[in-house]
Amino acid sequence: MARKALGALKDSTMVGIAKVNSEYKKLDVAILKATNHVELLPKEKHVRTLFNAVSSNRPRADVCYCLHTLSKRLTKTRTWQVALKTLIVIHRAMREVDVSFLQELVNYTAHRGHLLNLTHFKDDTSTNAWDYSTWIRSYALYLEEYLECFCIMRYDFQRERKRIKELNTPTLIETIPALQQLLSRLLDCQRNNDLYFQPVGAAQYNFLIQHALSIVAAESASLYVAIADGMLNLVDKFFEMQRHDAVRALEIYRRAGDQAVKLSEFFEICRNLDFGRGQKYVKIEKPPESFITAMEEYLMDAPKPLMITWRPDDDDRSTKVIAVPESKPAGADQEQETEIQTKEESNTETPAPPPIPDLLSFDEPSQESAALEDNNALALVISTPEELSNSLSSSETNVVSRQVGNWNSLQRQLLTRGRPQIIS
């Protein structure tokens, strides 16, 4: 009784402070009252106020503030009622608010740490509180795995149930294991031969825990329906897959069969609890072994991807490796074999590189270039004055002599004055 009175006093004090000092008075009061120390379900009006604050039409600052307040509420509390009611509010928001809340949760976790990390949470005030704390840690791990599944799939399987039926083979092979990993958080982990999510001790009679377990049970049915739809799509594509995809698909199919049996056992446990009485849970059967045999037979003859063999270069092929026998000592024999190898390499004549051709033909002019020079009327001729005078007429000789005289006078001007004069 003293603990309950202390919790009620703490709640009233924090609500009074929030009304005075907080900039988000209405939101803070709703969060504090929805996650108080009273062992009752959160009131719906406070939950709806919180849902409206984190919807997609609200500013992102309001959503971040709400997540930050819930995170502080989880990290600072050592009371199982506050921790469990906070997780229930977050879980309901993940299901009932639009998908933008899931994305904000992922972003908050990426930048500020895991919001749902309650690995070290415990309430050791009583033996019952210890049992409650064990189940609360399992519940937080399940919600954290839900966010991880959303990151891998990039959509929420409860809101877009038909989308998995239209996925291609690579996406299916990536998506279905993420769903199976989420389901294994409920089924595969065991504690003292009991299912990990089965409440133990006083926890199985607690009303808050049974309410949270009923949400998880309903969600697990939707989860397995998504897995079954994905498996049908995968089986339709199985007999056309390459071998590496078929191997992974067969592993996924076998795991789905094992999880079907465990999920049926989980539903039987839920049916025996108070919240599950009168509920109709589907009995799931394991796939027939004959179909698994047919899949294995196809796997033996499945087409393999084209493999390109690597071949070394010719230089690598000619490399000689000398193996030293183990019976002989590694002294003189190794030196002798090394000398023999060195002599063989020195004796082998390396082929001379081919000569580089004279691409511009400066050394030996070809016949075509010589014929072109002979027939070119505009080509320049280098000749002596006697040869030039014999080959020209008298008028042409006068012109050439006059030009040569002009050239000689130009050279004299350059030597004496430094600047040439223009000769017309």
Side-chain angles (χ1 to χ4, degrees):
M1 294 297 294
R3 184 174 178 82
K4 291 183 178 180
L6 181 61
L9 179 61
K10 187 182 295 185
D11 291 335
S12 60
T13 302
M14 295 182 68
V15 169
I17 294 174
K19 289 180 179 180
V20 175
N21 296 330
S22 177
E23 297 180 1
Y24 296 88
K25 298 179 182 179
K26 187 176 180 180
L27 181 58
D28 281 336
V29 171
I31 292 175
L32 291 172
K33 289 187 176 181
T35 60
N36 55 18
H37 292 74
V38 181
E39 195 173 335
L40 294 174
L41 289 176
K43 289 186 178 181
E44 196 65 22
K45 64 176 183 179
H46 303 315
V47 174
R48 290 299 164 188
T49 301
L50 192 149
F51 288 176
N52 292 332
V54 297
S55 59
S56 58
N57 56 0
R58 299 291 298 176
R60 294 298 92 187
D62 294 356
V63 180
C64 293
Y65 179 80
C66 183
L67 291 177
H68 181 65
T69 306
L70 291 172
S71 177
K72 287 197 305 182
R73 194 75 167 152
L74 277 177
T75 54
K76 290 184 178 182
T77 186
R78 293 294 180 267
T79 308
W80 70 267
Q81 295 97 330
V82 176
L84 180 56
K85 292 172 77 171
T86 305
L87 292 178
I88 291 174
V89 169
I90 294 175
H91 194 187
R92 285 190 58 185
M94 292 166 61
R95 291 166 51 90
E96 300 176 25
V97 185
D98 51 81
V99 72
S100 63
F101 179 73
L102 284 173
Q103 190 62 49
E104 290 295 335
L105 271 177
V106 172
N107 295 337
Y108 186 90
T109 302
H111 292 88
R112 301 196 179 186
H114 294 282
L115 172 65
L116 303 169
N117 186 9
L118 296 181
T119 307
H120 304 289
F121 172 79
K122 63 177 180 179
D123 186 349
D124 53 1
T125 55
S126 63
T127 56
N128 292 346
W130 186 270
D131 293 336
Y132 301 154
S133 301
T134 302
W135 195 88
I136 288 171
R137 290 194 297 268
S138 305
Y139 188 31
L141 286 174
Y142 171 78
L143 296 181
E144 195 171 3
E145 190 68 41
Y146 193 105
L147 289 180
E148 185 67 23
C149 179
F150 174 75
C151 291
I152 296 174
M153 297 179 61
R154 300 179 183 86
Y155 73 93
D156 186 16
F157 67 91
Q158 296 191 85
R159 293 179 174 88
E160 302 181 49
R161 298 183 179 181
K162 296 182 179 180
R163 184 170 178 177
I164 198 170
K165 298 180 181 180
E166 303 172 355
L167 299 179
N168 54 17
T169 300
T171 310
L172 277 174
I173 293 177
E174 181 184 3
T175 299
I176 297 178
L179 294 171
Q180 291 178 332
Q181 180 62 29
L182 177 60
L183 187 59
S184 69
R185 182 61 68 180
L186 303 177
L187 307 177
D188 292 349
C189 299
Q190 296 187 0
R191 177 177 175 272
N192 297 329
N193 296 326
D194 293 327
L195 287 175
Y196 194 70
F197 237 80
Q198 179 185 359
V200 180
Q204 60 184 335
Y205 305 108
N206 184 269
F207 175 71
L208 285 176
I209 291 180
Q210 289 196 12
H211 176 75
L213 186 59
S214 65
I215 300 176
V216 175
E219 199 166 81
S220 64
S222 302
L223 177 59
Y224 191 79
V225 169
I227 294 175
D229 292 339
M231 290 305 307
L232 290 175
N233 190 6
L234 192 66
V235 168
D236 290 341
K237 297 178 172 60
F238 180 80
F239 296 98
E240 299 175 357
M241 293 181 184
Q242 297 287 334
R243 190 177 188 281
H244 62 282
D245 289 336
V247 170
R248 296 190 61 188
L250 182 58
E251 294 175 356
I252 293 171
Y253 192 82
R254 285 174 176 169
R255 188 179 184 184
D258 297 336
Q259 287 184 338
V261 178
K262 295 180 180 180
L263 186 60
S264 298
E265 297 175 357
F266 177 72
F267 285 158
E268 288 295 328
I269 294 172
C270 294
R271 188 180 287 110
N272 295 328
L273 298 176
D274 291 339
F275 74 90
R277 293 173 183 172
Q279 299 290 334
K280 294 182 179 180
Y281 292 102
V282 180
K283 186 177 181 180
I284 304 173
E285 297 180 357
K286 190 175 181 179
E289 295 292 337
S290 59
F291 189 76
I292 297 179
T293 304
M295 296 175 73
E296 291 175 348
E297 292 177 355
Y298 170 78
L299 189 60
M300 297 175 63
D301 301 330
K304 298 180 180 180
L306 180 61
M307 302 296 292
I308 301 176
T309 58
W310 175 80
R311 294 182 178 180
D313 298 334
D314 295 334
D315 296 338
D316 296 336
R317 290 182 181 178
S318 61
T319 304
K320 296 181 180 181
V321 179
I322 300 176
V324 180
E326 296 181 356
S327 58
K328 297 181 180 181
D333 294 341
Q334 280 188 349
E335 295 178 357
Q336 184 178 2
E337 290 178 356
T338 305
E339 291 177 359
I340 293 173
Q341 184 182 7
T342 307
K343 291 179 180 179
E344 288 179 357
E345 291 178 354
S346 61
N347 293 332
T348 56
E349 296 181 356
T350 57
I356 300 175
D358 187 8
L359 300 179
L360 299 179
S361 300
F362 283 137
D363 298 333
E364 296 179 359
S366 61
Q367 297 179 359
E368 291 81 1
S369 61
L372 181 62
E373 291 177 357
D374 295 339
N375 298 327
N376 190 0
L378 299 178
L380 296 176
V381 179
I382 302 175
S383 303
T384 60
E386 291 79 8
E387 293 177 353
L388 186 62
S389 61
N390 294 331
S391 62
L392 297 177
S393 62
S394 60
S395 59
E396 292 175 345
T397 303
N398 295 331
V399 173
V400 172
S401 302
R402 187 167 51 253
Q403 294 295 335
V404 172
N406 293 336
W407 175 253
N408 294 331
S409 63
L410 178 60
Q411 287 181 337
R412 287 193 298 270
Q413 291 177 5
L414 287 174
L415 294 174
T416 56
R417 301 181 183 180
R419 288 183 175 272
Q421 294 182 355
I422 298 176
I423 301 172
S424 58

